[in-house]
Amino acid sequence: MDENNMHHVMKTLILKTEGLSAYGLQTFDVHRRVNHFPTRSAIVGILCAALGISRDEHAKIHELSTKLTIAVQVHHTGEKMMDYHTVENFRSPLGKIQKGTKPTYREYWCDSEHSFAISADEQTIKLLIQAVKSPVFTIFQGRKCCPLTRPLLECVLEESNPSDALKHLGEKGQIFSDIQGSNHVATLQVRDLITPVARKYAIRTVYVSGRSEGEACESA
């Protein structure tokens, strides 16, 4: 297969995480709540860390985000817990750094379990496979105090729809996807879409679906 044709072959990479997680939505409140499913921006952040793309390389972060179609399946939400922090020189809702100390209460999910499906062209999937096998930066599940507890990589499927790819695995849990898949039940509006402007997120439509029994995953 030549390089041009290979670029247009779509595949789906399956990753899995377990343990303590904290995938929060954008907020400047004292109470830092966690979302009930991992945000799209957090999943892109995990992949950027694996690839060695730093936070100040926003153009690269945005470019990667535009190449991916993502779905996440929540196998187990976990038990919610909270801890107390103080933050110095914190960022205001207007984006300005404020001097002083601010208390924050941060939520976490204990014993959570998620699967991520990332659909992209074959060349991008190959790069991501190598990155998650040998990540450049340390990968966390939302916050630095939430390390990985297992290898990320599960497998790769010959599938272009990430929601349907997760259904093929036959595991339990609702699926939240960039695009609609089979067994669609609802839609949500979530502000977690990376834009060309750093720290500015756009609202996207999230398609929620159930699962269906299917085929097993191929080894990556």
Side-chain angles (χ1 to χ4, degrees), residues 21-39:
S21 66
Y23 299 104
L25 293 171
Q26 189 179 32
T27 179
F28 299 97
D29 295 335
V30 169
H31 194 170
R32 306 293 177 87
R33 293 178 172 86
V34 287
N35 201 34
H36 60 285
F37 63 91
T39 55

Side-chain angles (χ1 to χ4, degrees), residues 19-180:
L20 186 67
S21 66
Y23 299 104
L25 293 171
Q26 189 179 32
T27 179
F28 299 97
D29 295 335
V30 169
H31 194 170
R32 306 293 177 87
R33 293 178 172 86
V34 287
N35 201 34
H36 60 285
F37 63 91
T39 55
R40 190 184 199 280
S41 55
I43 297 169
V44 173
I46 286 173
L47 298 175
C48 286
L51 289 164
I53 301 174
S54 63
R55 291 184 178 182
D56 58 358
E57 296 180 290
H58 187 75
K60 291 183 178 180
I61 297 172
H62 179 253
E63 181 183 8
L64 177 64
S65 178
T66 61
K67 293 180 178 179
L68 311 176
T69 307
I70 298 173
V72 59
Q73 186 170 25
V74 180
H75 304 301
H76 184 57
T77 304
E79 296 294 327
K80 187 177 288 187
M81 56 182 289
M82 184 186 298
D83 67 357
Y84 172 82
H85 282 253
T86 56
V87 180
E88 293 185 359
N89 301 326
F90 54 91
R91 190 178 298 274
S92 74
L94 297 177
K96 296 181 179 180
I97 300 298
Q98 304 291 311
K99 293 183 178 180
T101 302
K102 178 181 181 178
T104 64
Y105 298 88
R106 302 185 182 188
E107 294 181 345
Y108 302 84
W109 289 114
C110 183
D111 295 328
S112 62
E113 184 178 345
H114 306 105
S115 286
F116 306 138
I118 297 99
S119 298
D121 63 85
E122 189 170 11
Q123 184 176 349
T124 299
I125 293 297
K126 285 184 176 181
L127 289 174
L128 293 177
I129 289 171
Q130 293 304 314
V132 297
K133 284 182 176 179
S134 301
V136 177
F137 299 142
T138 303
I139 296 174
F140 307 103
Q141 298 185 73
R143 295 193 183 116
K144 289 183 179 180
C145 58
C146 304
L148 295 180
T149 59
R150 49 156 292 154
L152 273 174
L153 184 62
E154 280 285 289
C155 61
V156 175
L157 290 174
E158 300 287 341
E159 172 64 66
S160 60
N161 185 311
S163 178
D164 290 342
L166 288 168
K167 293 186 188 73
H168 290 331
L169 302 180
E171 295 194 54
K172 295 181 179 179
Q174 279 194 319
I175 296 170
F176 303 85
S177 177
D178 283 346
I179 60 175
Q180 186 172 323

